[in-house]
Amino acid sequence: MKKRISLIIAFLFCTTLLFAQAKFVATASKTNVGVGEQFEVDFTMNGGGTHFSQPDFHDFDVISGPNLESSFTSVNGVSTMSISYGFIITAKKEGTFTIDAAAVVINGHTLTTAPLKIKVKGQAPPQQAQAQAAAPDNDPKVDVKDLSKQIFVRAVTDKTKAYVGEQIKVYYKIYTRVAILGGQPDKAPDLNGFWNQDVPSKGIAWKSEVYKGIRYNVATVKQSMLFPQHAGDLTIDPLAISFIVEIRLPSRNVLDDMYGNVKQLKYSSKSQPITIHAVALPTAGKPADFTGAVGNFTVYSDVDKKELKANETLNYTIDISGMGNLNLINSPKITTPVDVEKYDPKTNDHIVVDSNGVSGSRQFSYLLIPRHEGNITLPPVGFTYFNPSSGRYITVPTKSFTIKVDKGDAQANVPAFNSTEQQDIKLLGNDIRYIKTSSADVFKEGEGFFGSFTYYLLLLLGPVLFIGALAYRNWLTKYNSDQVKVRSREASRMAAKHLASAQKELTAGNRAAFYDAIAKGLYGYLSDKLNIPVSDLNKENIIAQLQTRKLDEITTRQLVDTMDLCEMARFAPVTGISEQQVFDKAKNTINEIEDKI
């Protein structure tokens, strides 16, 4: 006990002396380096300090740091203590660069280091680069046998063999036995050959799990539902994440015993690729009306009325519900009598994507207009899907309906859906009117409409309007013939819808839904604007297309930063920027791309 008290008194006494002669210096392990060569920069004080402020390494890449180290020695009654903040950095390009001063507060005074000049010339030798890559395992300061066994990213699927169109669940998990101070994804996985839907993130929950006989802290950071688009061996590419981890080192002195000896490292890990063997759907017994639905579904149909008058509207609804590739289901083909007008259906989705998979319903609403009185029959509609569990095609028929049509007003205007827009309502023109049996009005010669100036003007106006309408139709057909240009023109309008949704989520305080809406808006806009298929939509292809269209580097960088922020928000809270700033950044980026491309 006396020994411990004496040690504490000696420590406090030495600390007071050290504060009286406080020093704060910067040193570099090398001042002449090659491009890509790693070297260490240390900022050391001979006492305790607070509010350490590191310089901006704008001409260098920081590999790890700040790595805090402390030491306390006593030789022949003379005690010294030092605390060091170390950084491992590499040079980006050749030239002479200055590492600015660092600052720290010691005993109420702010001390700064002198700037360091680093000369960078040539490329680091390959042998040296290989030695540096292995350095963390050989560094005697870091007791890390094999960090890849302490923290890693793993992809897990519920199956490795599936039919084309069958749902596959993939989970990306972090396994760790060390403290994680921060992390962000380096590269989202490319899912070429799959149609995918990401499960909205509800935050990261850690749990304990035993893997290969070792217990880890485990968190699922990303979930996706994949649907193979064609047969063959398809690869689920890795998810790469960069971590800042804290490693506990062996104690070297009394300060280490009291405060612990730790070191912060930057470490990257990525999951192993997974091969999925996609099997083609069987051709034997394949019904002619099969359109690609794969899963387990039920079908329900209904009409909004069983009796109506001629020229009135009838809504016929078919509802397909269940679990599977609902987003890829096309509208069933219905058969109606020849005297019943039929319009393209409206589609209404109620689809949920969660950890159980893609489920819900897709509803098709057909507008029908019977033109004559009598009884009409809507025959059953067969919906065919492939059930991967049984390996068979299943056809589910809907009910048939008999509709009574009473005599209607032949001259009444009839409301109907526009078959082109499927949303707007217009008035159909009148059919042939009944012959008028009453006496016609008698006019004297020259008093009637026939032969008047107005008559000839209207007679001439008809061909002129016809020619104008024909020219306009030809122009409109040509204007809309290039689907790529049509998608590009409509891109900003679709992005505006997603941004409006993001604004609502921001107002409601739904952070995860806000970032999901921003990401959908950006990726959907870029897919339409740059004509990139959804299966090929990744940052590399986006940047390549923008460079081809000669978009400036500043706007491109701003776009990539915004996409990275949305991706990062799935893993951890984003700091340093508010959601409103992210929203404004995404909106301004889209406007700049519209102005420049």
Side-chain angles (χ1 to χ4, degrees):
M1 182 66 180
K2 292 181 179 180
K3 183 177 180 181
R4 182 178 299 175
I5 294 174
S6 299
L7 183 61
I8 293 174
I9 293 174
F11 170 71
L12 294 175
F13 175 73
C14 294
T15 302
T16 304
L17 292 178
L18 289 171
F19 280 150
Q21 298 178 350
K23 293 182 180 180
F24 187 39
V25 296
T27 58
S29 60
K30 298 179 182 179
T31 56
N32 292 277
V33 297
V35 176
E37 181 179 354
Q38 294 184 12
F39 63 101
E40 189 168 356
V41 176
D42 295 311
F43 301 95
T44 306
M45 68 190 84
N46 63 341
T50 61
H51 299 88
F52 171 73
S53 177
Q54 70 185 55
D56 183 6
F57 297 97
H58 46 79
D59 295 313
F60 303 87
D61 287 324
V62 178
I63 304 302
S64 70
N67 305 315
L68 179 62
E69 296 185 18
S70 60
S71 65
F72 179 81
T73 59
S74 180
V75 180
N76 297 326
V78 179
S79 300
T80 59
M81 181 181 71
S82 67
I83 296 176
S84 175
Y85 294 89
F87 296 83
I88 298 176
I89 63 177
T90 61
K92 297 180 181 179
K93 56 185 178 180
E94 292 187 357
T96 300
F97 305 102
T98 299
I99 298 177
D100 296 330
V104 72
V105 177
I106 301 178
N107 200 23
H109 299 282
T110 300
L111 302 182
T112 59
T113 63
L116 294 175
K117 285 192 175 182
I118 306 296
K119 293 183 179 180
V120 183
K121 186 176 181 181
Q123 207 67 26
Q127 299 88 344
Q128 189 177 30
Q130 292 175 3
Q132 290 171 350
D137 288 342
N138 299 327
D139 187 353
K141 301 177 183 178
V142 183
D143 187 15
V144 181
K145 300 294 184 182
D146 188 357
L147 196 54
S148 64
K149 294 181 181 179
Q150 303 296 314
I151 179 171
F152 54 89
V153 181
R154 181 169 174 247
V156 182
T157 61
D158 64 337
K159 63 192 72 170
T160 56
K161 182 179 180 180
Y163 288 101
V164 172
E166 183 180 356
Q167 183 170 258
I168 300 171
K169 302 175 185 177
V170 57
Y171 308 91
Y172 294 94
K173 297 182 176 182
I174 297 174
Y175 288 72
T176 181
R177 300 185 70 200
V178 297
I180 300 177
L181 303 181
Q184 65 179 30
D186 292 336
K187 183 178 183 296
D190 294 327
L191 299 172
N192 297 324
F194 296 95
W195 189 86
N196 77 292
Q197 281 194 283
D198 289 337
V199 178
S201 175
K202 297 181 180 180
I204 297 178
W206 291 92
K207 64 179 182 179
S208 180
E209 181 179 321
V210 176
Y211 176 67
K212 292 185 177 181
I214 302 175
R215 185 169 295 279
Y216 294 90
N217 288 326
V218 181
T220 300
V221 295
K222 180 179 176 65
Q223 300 180 57
S224 297
M225 302 299 155
L226 310 182
F227 300 86
Q229 293 181 307
H230 58 80
D233 288 337
L234 307 177
T235 300
I236 299 177
D237 295 316
L239 171 67
I241 302 178
S242 288
F243 301 97
I244 302 296
V245 298
E246 185 176 79
I247 306 298
R248 184 168 295 277
L249 308 178
S251 298
R252 301 168 301 180
N253 49 52
V254 66
L255 285 182
D256 290 347
D257 292 334
M258 295 173 63
Y259 300 107
N261 186 17
V262 296
K263 188 176 183 71
Q264 295 178 8
L265 296 175
K266 183 176 181 181
Y267 178 74
S268 296
S269 177
K270 65 179 180 180
S271 61
Q272 293 295 321
I274 299 178
T275 300
I276 300 296
H277 181 61
V279 181
L281 299 178
T283 56
K286 182 177 181 179
D289 61 347
F290 176 71
T291 58
V294 179
N296 189 14
F297 305 102
T298 59
V299 182
Y300 172 79
S301 63
D302 199 8
V303 292
D304 64 342
K305 59 191 74 169
K306 297 292 182 67
E307 182 176 353
L308 72 162
K309 293 182 179 180
N311 297 322
E312 289 184 349
T313 60
L314 171 69
N315 286 304
Y316 178 36
T317 302
I318 296 177
D319 190 288
I320 301 170
S321 60
M323 179 171 287
N325 58 350
L326 282 164
N327 289 286
L328 304 179
I329 293 178
N330 297 321
S331 58
K333 304 297 182 183
I334 67 172
T335 303
T336 59
V338 293
D339 58 347
V340 175
E341 287 191 24
K342 176 180 66 177
Y343 292 84
D344 294 338
K346 287 179 60 178
T347 303
N348 188 19
D349 289 337
H350 298 280
I351 298 175
V352 176
V353 183
D354 55 25
S355 57
N356 295 319
V358 180
S359 60
S361 66
R362 169 164 279 197
Q363 185 182 83
F364 302 96
S365 182
Y366 301 81
L367 186 80
L368 309 179
I369 303 178
R371 289 303 187 184
H372 302 93
E373 64 178 306
N375 291 333
I376 63 172
T377 299
L378 299 177
V381 177
F383 171 71
T384 300
Y385 67 92
F386 181 78
N387 190 324
S389 299
S390 62
R392 295 187 300 110
Y393 293 97
I394 298 176
T395 300
V396 183
T398 64
K399 296 188 298 183
S400 64
F401 297 94
T402 300
I403 310 297
K404 182 180 179 182
V405 182
D406 299 326
K407 182 177 180 180
D409 184 359
Q411 300 184 26
N413 288 329
V414 183
F417 285 115
N418 185 330
S419 60
T420 300
E421 296 295 332
Q422 302 183 10
Q423 294 176 354
D424 300 333
I425 292 182
K426 65 178 184 178
L427 291 178
L428 299 177
N430 294 334
D431 289 340
I432 300 175
R433 297 180 180 275
Y434 293 107
I435 297 175
K436 191 172 183 179
T437 55
S438 59
S439 300
D441 294 333
V442 178
F443 296 94
K444 294 182 180 180
E445 184 177 357
E447 294 181 354
F449 173 71
F450 182 78
S452 65
F453 172 78
T454 306
Y455 169 78
Y456 288 109
L457 178 63
L458 294 177
L459 193 65
L460 179 63
L461 189 61
V464 173
L465 292 177
F466 174 77
I467 294 172
L470 186 63
Y472 175 75
R473 189 191 69 173
N474 292 337
W475 173 85
L476 187 63
T477 301
K478 184 178 179 181
Y479 184 71
N480 292 325
S481 61
D482 191 338
Q483 292 300 316
V484 174
K485 292 183 178 180
V486 171
R487 286 183 62 194
S488 179
R489 290 195 298 268
E490 294 294 317
S492 60
R493 185 174 65 86
M494 298 304 296
K497 289 185 177 181
H498 286 291
L499 291 179
S501 175
Q503 183 69 63
K504 291 181 181 178
E505 300 296 347
L506 177 60
T507 304
N510 299 327
R511 178 183 167 277
F514 165 75
Y515 280 105
D516 187 58
I518 289 289
K520 286 183 178 178
L522 284 174
Y523 279 99
Y525 167 76
L526 294 168
S527 176
D528 292 339
K529 188 69 177 179
L530 305 178
N531 191 33
I532 301 176
V534 175
S535 60
D536 296 332
L537 195 61
N538 53 60
K539 282 191 286 189
E540 288 74 14
N541 289 343
I542 290 171
I543 293 173
Q545 288 291 336
L546 292 175
Q547 290 175 346
T548 302
R549 288 165 170 78
K550 300 187 184 307
L551 184 67
D552 61 273
E553 183 67 24
I554 296 177
T555 305
T556 302
R557 186 70 259 168
Q558 183 176 342
L559 172 65
V560 173
D561 288 345
T562 306
M563 292 190 294
D564 287 342
L565 280 172
C566 294
E567 191 69 27
M568 189 189 310
R570 296 183 177 182
F571 301 93
V574 176
T575 59
I577 185 171
S578 66
E579 280 80 5
Q580 184 62 49
Q581 289 174 314
V582 174
F583 178 84
D584 295 338
K585 194 173 183 181
K587 184 177 179 181
N588 294 336
T589 302
I590 291 175
N591 290 336
E592 289 183 17
I593 294 175
E594 281 295 304
D595 293 338
K596 297 174 182 178
I597 297 183

